[in-house]
Amino acid sequence: MLSNLIIRYRLITDQLIRYSQFLFSSPTFAFVDMPTTTTTITTPKSSLPDMSILLTQKHRATIERRRIRRHSDLPMSLMIKYGTPRQDLHQCLECGTWHEKKTICGNCYDRIRKETQAMKDSYPNKDEFNHNHPQQEIVYVYKNDEKFHDDTKRIVEIQRERPTWFSKNLIPKINTTK
Amino acid sequence: MSNLSTRTLRVTVPHAIRSKITGGGQNARHEKIKAILGELFRHERIEGYIRTHDETRQYAERLIELAKKYGDQHVGTMQLMDYWVNDKDLIHKVFKVYVPRYTNTIGPYTNSYRLPIKYGEFKFPHIPRQNIVLEMKDNPYPRIIPDPRNYSNILTNVLLNEARKEYRTERNNRNEKKDK
């Protein structure tokens, strides 16, 4: 560790001294008499040691270890790692697409996301929504719904018919939280 | 401030280290949480990274819990509201919309669901990036979890119901005979 640092430091200093010989006659650094604007010392990138050496492996793995990685049934083996089928996938009951365990179905959620975005866009005054938010419950009324008047609620009308999958009763009867 | 006390939170506390959620120290973390809180209170349904959004969920629960208990005449709650909510029109919304909406509910006031992971789109392929949906309960938007189905007309359920009825009638007849 320490020897590596010393070698790197020595390399850089050698390069600096070599380049300074073109500018100044003596190898010492003379910063006092240097002109301010015309010449500046810049070391090119090739003079620095290549840093990608640090990322490579230091020691060659033995043939025993390589064969274990290829052919054994331990979890470190590549065949076990990439060759076993996944057991944590579920099928959606609504549409039949596959999704991971713990997550919701992406195909069904796409539909809901588009509908929520359309409902947000149908709000008439966007400046009011973003800066002076209404202090009432917002109710979205579709075209084929029953119209009602309530002063305590903000009613927003949508010029479309209610989708068939979007039920009117938003409060669930059964506790369906996961 | 120390006198404020509520019940324990009814949400899962995330395992991630809090100081490492955002770079830039405590101030940057607080600003991030404030931004997400304002977004949540305004739009009522947002998507984002699981670490930051699950962290802000606790703050939203705590603020509504305090608002329910102490009201808007209390000094400590209003100081907390002033600190955590950047847009001041949302403080009115908390007291006028959320508190009457959640008077009868006991449990958590928010829902969070995990979105499917999109493999191949994030920067580091070996670290999958999990996003979630955060929403306030009883919002006007369509429900994320689909409506509960009616399974009573499936053949197995019909047969089981008939078998149950037969068993009950036989048992009643047996008991009547014993009484005589």
Side-chain angles (χ1 to χ4, degrees):
Chain A
M1 182 70 193
L2 193 72
S3 60
N4 279 335
L5 281 173
I6 291 164
I7 288 163
R8 220 173 290 152
Y9 175 70
R10 207 168 280 170
L11 265 170
I12 295 164
T13 49
D14 285 348
Q15 290 282 340
L16 274 173
I17 288 164
R18 206 179 297 154
Y19 276 99
S20 64
Q21 281 176 356
F22 294 111
L23 303 171
F24 313 108
S25 58
S26 65
T28 53
F29 295 101
F31 285 104
V32 180
D33 299 331
M34 237 177 68
T36 51
T37 56
T38 53
T39 55
T40 50
I41 297 169
T42 53
T43 56
K45 281 182 180 178
S46 59
S47 67
L48 293 168
D50 194 7
M51 287 299 176
S52 66
I53 295 165
L54 301 172
L55 299 174
T56 56
Q57 63 178 19
K58 277 185 177 177
H59 303 291
R60 181 194 169 101
T62 59
I63 187 64
E64 189 187 357
R65 199 163 177 74
R66 275 180 278 158
R67 277 175 186 161
I68 289 168
R69 266 180 207 162
R70 282 174 204 155
H71 303 301
S72 75
D73 54 351
L74 293 169
M76 64 186 283
S77 166
L78 293 174
M79 286 299 286
I80 296 294
K81 205 175 179 184
Y82 299 113
T84 48
R86 293 185 64 172
Q87 300 290 330
D88 57 340
L89 297 175
H90 287 289
Q91 206 169 15
C92 179
L93 286 172
E94 297 293 320
C95 58
T97 52
W98 292 90
H99 61 94
E100 271 181 291
K101 199 178 171 182
K102 295 182 185 176
T103 63
I104 57 172
C105 176
N107 191 21
C108 293
Y109 181 69
D110 259 353
R111 193 178 58 191
I112 295 162
R113 174 163 39 197
K114 282 174 189 169
E115 187 62 32
T116 49
Q117 194 57 44
M119 284 165 83
K120 272 179 202 170
D121 291 340
S122 68
Y123 195 86
N125 196 353
K126 282 183 183 176
D127 286 341
E128 193 198 7
F129 189 84
N130 288 326
H131 301 291
N132 186 17
H133 201 273
Q135 281 114 42
Q136 295 161 335
E137 291 271 6
I138 302 170
V139 180
Y140 292 93
V141 177
Y142 281 88
K143 201 175 180 181
N144 51 355
D145 289 348
E146 291 179 4
K147 291 178 181 178
F148 67 99
H149 281 286
D150 197 350
D151 292 334
T152 60
K153 287 174 182 175
R154 182 68 59 93
I155 295 162
V156 179
E157 290 183 356
I158 301 172
Q159 303 299 325
R160 283 186 291 117
E161 291 191 347
R162 182 181 282 270
T164 52
W165 50 269
F166 181 16
S167 70
K168 207 180 286 183
N169 187 18
L170 285 172
I171 300 161
K173 289 174 184 172
I174 307 166
N175 189 14
T176 54
T177 52
K178 279 184 180 176
Chain B
M1 297 280 278
S2 61
N3 295 328
L4 303 180
S5 64
T6 55
R7 293 172 303 160
T8 52
L9 287 178
R10 296 206 169 200
V11 294
T12 51
V13 177
H15 258 287
I17 302 165
R18 289 184 178 186
S19 59
K20 287 186 179 178
I21 285 169
T22 53
Q26 200 188 33
N27 287 329
R29 181 175 158 272
H30 281 198
E31 278 169 20
K32 183 79 181 168
I33 288 169
K34 281 175 201 172
I36 299 169
L37 256 183
E39 210 177 327
L40 174 68
F41 281 155
R42 193 179 296 282
H43 294 284
E44 304 201 14
R45 180 176 288 176
I46 52 171
E47 298 172 23
Y49 189 38
I50 183 169
R51 281 196 172 179
T52 50
H53 283 64
D54 234 352
E55 183 78 18
T56 49
R57 196 185 169 192
Q58 304 171 51
Y59 288 81
E61 297 275 341
R62 169 93 170 153
L63 284 179
I64 291 170
E65 193 84 40
L66 287 172
K68 269 176 75 175
K69 191 178 179 185
Y70 291 102
D72 55 350
Q73 302 288 329
H74 195 251
V75 179
T77 50
M78 294 312 285
Q79 282 175 352
L80 274 176
M81 288 280 173
D82 193 33
Y83 182 76
W84 285 109
V85 183
N86 274 334
D87 304 334
K88 304 305 171 200
D89 56 332
L90 292 174
I91 298 175
H92 294 279
K93 197 192 175 185
V94 169
F95 286 104
K96 288 174 186 171
V97 178
Y98 290 139
V99 171
R101 193 196 281 180
Y102 301 128
T103 42
N104 294 325
T105 54
I106 308 161
Y109 312 109
T110 54
N111 282 332
S112 79
Y113 303 106
R114 289 187 182 217
L115 285 173
I117 301 167
K118 292 178 180 175
Y119 290 99
E121 288 193 8
F122 31 81
K123 198 178 176 184
F124 306 105
H126 56 281
I127 306 168
R129 193 175 171 83
Q130 176 77 67
N131 284 5
I132 60 168
V133 194
L134 248 189
E135 61 166 7
M136 307 300 296
K137 274 187 179 177
D138 304 341
N139 51 5
Y141 304 119
R143 286 175 54 207
I144 290 170
I145 295 293
D147 300 335
R149 285 179 162 206
N150 187 12
Y151 289 110
S152 62
N153 289 329
I154 291 176
L155 184 64
T156 49
N157 281 336
V158 172
L159 293 173
L160 278 171
N161 275 327
E162 291 301 316
R164 211 170 284 145
K165 278 178 190 172
E166 280 186 11
Y167 174 72
R168 275 173 193 164
T169 49
E170 282 183 12
R171 194 181 57 185
N172 289 332
N173 292 333
R174 240 180 277 151
N175 290 334
E176 285 174 3
K177 282 177 185 176
K178 276 181 186 177
D179 291 336
K180 285 175 183 175

